[in-house]
């Protein structure tokens, strides 16, 4: 008999691979069970449905990453350190686990309730940073939501381009460029 925790990890690993390869809607319980080398019934003992499994993978990874970012950013002193950390974390995370980041980027729209509810989302973390650290004459000090959208858009689009095979470079190869572009866009050079 298999260890329950090991079985869950194998189900999640197999599902993640299939969700990235085929998409959630095109992946069946049978596909996941075969890949994980388990019976279909075993899958249902651990997860209510394929969609609940996809949601669990998304929420676990998303909360882990955003909480780590928010806590580290809160401990850093300067605006440059805080924003550089966010970009660096995303670049290293993408390069270190492209499959998981691909899944997160593809699922973010269908899982928006978890993003919107999370007080430590990167979006809300950036709003707090902009409100506290941007100079008074910077438009994003007074419209931090817009600044957060622009900042996230620049950095996440670089990941999306890699998901769709538009560039072969690693994210870290573009780190300095992404940092300059994001800083320029929010008028802090």
């Amino acid at each position: 008999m298999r260890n329950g925790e090991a079985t869950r990890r194998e189900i999640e690993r197999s599902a993640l691979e299939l969700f990235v390869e085929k998409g959630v809607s095109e992946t069946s319980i049978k596909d996941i069970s075969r890949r994980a080398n388990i019976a279909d019934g075993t899958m249902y003992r651990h997860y209510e449905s394929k969609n609940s499994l996809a949601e669990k993978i998304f929420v676990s990874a998303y909360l882990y990453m955003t909480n780590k970012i928010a806590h580290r950013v809160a401990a850093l002193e300067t605006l440059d350190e805080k924003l550089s950390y966010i970009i660096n974390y995303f670049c290293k995370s993408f390069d270190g686990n492209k499959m998981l980041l691909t899944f997160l980027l593809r699922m973010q729209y269908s899982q928006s309730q978890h993003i919107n509810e999370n007080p430590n989302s990167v979006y809300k973390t950036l709003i707090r940073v902009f409100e506290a650290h941007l100079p008074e004459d910077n438009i994003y000090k007074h419209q931090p939501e817009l600044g957060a959208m622009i900042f996230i858009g620049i950095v996440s689009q670089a990941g999306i381009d890699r998901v769709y095979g538009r560039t072969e470079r690693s994210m870290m190869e573009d780190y300095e460029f992404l940092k300059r572009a994001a800083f320029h866009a929010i008028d802090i050079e």
Side-chain angles (χ1 to χ4, degrees):
M1 179 173 252
R2 291 175 98 171
N3 174 297
E5 185 58 36
T7 300
R8 272 190 295 283
R9 280 194 308 272
E10 183 60 25
I11 291 169
E12 290 174 13
R13 185 196 63 73
S14 298
L16 179 61
E17 289 174 357
L18 287 162
F19 293 159
V20 170
E21 289 171 20
K22 299 171 69 170
V24 174
S25 63
E26 297 301 317
T27 299
S28 69
I29 294 294
K30 189 169 281 315
D31 293 333
I32 298 167
S33 298
R34 271 193 223 124
R35 178 79 56 103
N37 198 28
I38 59 168
D40 293 354
T42 302
M43 166 71 191
Y44 286 112
R45 263 183 262 149
H46 293 280
Y47 300 97
E48 182 179 307
S49 67
K50 168 186 69 170
N51 289 335
S52 69
L53 171 57
E55 181 176 337
K56 193 267 183 203
I57 294 169
F58 179 89
V59 170
S60 294
Y62 175 77
L63 290 177
Y64 172 81
M65 293 176 73
T66 57
N67 288 334
K68 185 172 181 170
I69 290 169
H71 289 103
R72 179 68 179 136
V73 165
L76 295 170
E77 296 285 325
T78 68
L79 179 63
D80 183 278
E81 289 173 327
K82 292 171 185 287
L83 298 180
S84 296
Y85 176 80
I86 292 169
I87 297 168
N88 185 280
Y89 185 89
F90 182 78
C91 290
K92 283 185 175 177
S93 295
F94 191 92
D95 290 346
N97 194 342
K98 184 178 178 183
M99 184 176 304
L100 180 60
L101 271 285
T102 296
F103 175 74
L104 291 174
L105 286 169
R106 287 182 180 167
M107 291 290 291
Q108 65 184 336
Y109 302 107
S110 67
Q111 297 296 318
S112 62
Q113 76 274 15
H114 299 294
I115 294 171
N116 295 336
E117 295 168 357
N118 181 4
N120 288 331
S121 71
V122 174
Y123 175 75
K124 290 178 182 172
T125 297
L126 282 167
I127 289 171
R128 289 190 296 272
V129 167
F130 291 161
E131 288 174 336
H133 295 280
L134 286 176
E136 285 299 321
D137 64 343
N138 186 305
I139 188 171
Y140 303 117
K141 169 89 169 181
H142 308 288
Q143 293 183 329
E145 298 85 1
L146 182 58
M149 287 185 278
I150 291 168
F151 189 93
I152 291 169
I154 289 169
V155 178
S156 65
Q157 188 59 49
I160 291 166
D161 281 357
R162 283 154 176 84
V163 166
Y164 293 112
R166 295 180 190 137
T167 184
E168 295 297 317
R169 291 184 312 277
S170 73
M171 288 291 290
M172 284 308 293
E173 286 179 82
D174 286 344
Y175 168 76
E176 287 298 329
F177 174 77
L178 290 170
K179 181 180 169 182
R180 280 195 322 269
F183 281 38
H184 179 75
I186 57 170
D187 199 22
I188 56 160
E189 297 181 61

